[in-house]
């Protein structure tokens, strides 16, 4: 029974070939392709408005130097947002429940922000490891703690996204299984459980959007520290 709950997180395969890459690329087919017209339809207008809103929120903490990252951060958030929401549909696979994929997104981007800071302003970047006015006896321990907190950032990004989505999907499957099992025995309790399932589904939609925003926003904050 426990294995069946976690089967939803295994990558679908066709002829022994994992289809996780296809699941990651499929959301791009849902986005309308741009052309030379100002306004094509309502969907394109809504997409442009949403992209502008997301980009504005992500680059707000950054100065003009960090605005070069606007395309990367906005594309990353739109990508995660689309995959997270599509993963809530029945009979779908959510690639962002895989820690390997989330770490593949978090680690290179975090490393890029760190290397940029070490290249452009090495003294200020290294200065974050030792706050001003630290007692002499605490300097070695504080440097080790700050270095550990710096190196654990990409792991925290990937684990946060994976854990939130995995927990939400497991709760939805557990409650839906309980609703189906209680329907012939206790119909009143089953209806109550179904209402809880509906509220949980609405919550998971909000979590899917918030986690995509938090992932991109934390990367923008890490970037701001190094520019």
């Amino acid at each position: 029974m426990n294995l069946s709950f976690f089967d939803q997180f295994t990558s679908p395969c066709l002829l022994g070939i994992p289809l996780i890459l296809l699941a990651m690329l499929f959301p791009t087919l849902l986005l309308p392709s741009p052309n030379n017209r100002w306004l094509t339809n309502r969907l394109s207008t809504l997409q442009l408005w949403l992209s502008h809103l997301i980009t504005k929120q992500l680059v707000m903490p950054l100065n003009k130097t960090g605005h070069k990252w606007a395309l990367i951060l906005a594309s990353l958030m739109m990508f995660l947002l689309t995959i997270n929401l599509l993963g809530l549909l029945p009979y779908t696979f959510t690639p962002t429940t895989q820690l390997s994929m989330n770490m593949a997104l978090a680690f290179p981007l975090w490393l890029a922000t760190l290397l940029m800071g070490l290249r452009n302003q090495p003294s200020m970047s290294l200065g974050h490891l030792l706050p001003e006015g630290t007692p002499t006896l605490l300097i070695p321990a504080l440097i080790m703690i700050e270095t550990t907190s710096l190196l654990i950032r990409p792991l925290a990004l990937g684990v946060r996204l994976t854990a939130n989505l995995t927990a939400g999907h497991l709760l939805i499957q557990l409650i839906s299984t309980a609703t189906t099992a209680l329907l012939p025995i206790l119909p009143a309790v089953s209806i109550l459980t179904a209402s809880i399932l509906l509220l949980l589904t609405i919550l998971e939609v909000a979590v899917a959007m918030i986690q995509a925003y938090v992932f991109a926003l934390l990367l923008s904050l890490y970037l701001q520290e190094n520019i």
Side-chain angles (χ1 to χ4, degrees), residues 146-178:
E146 291 295 330
T147 304
T148 304
S149 66
L150 178 65
L151 297 178
I152 210 172
R153 283 179 175 180
L155 182 62
L157 281 176
V159 170
R160 180 188 293 109
L161 183 59
T162 304
N164 280 282
L165 296 179
T166 302
H169 287 202
L170 280 177
L171 279 175
I172 289 177
Q173 185 164 359
L174 285 170
I175 296 178
S176 61
T177 303

Side-chain angles (χ1 to χ4, degrees), residues 82-102:
T82 309
I83 285 184
N84 292 348
L85 293 177
L86 288 177
L88 294 174
L89 297 175
Y91 304 104
T92 56
F93 170 69
T94 312
T96 43
T97 55
Q98 307 295 313
L99 182 61
S100 57
M101 173 189 164
N102 296 333

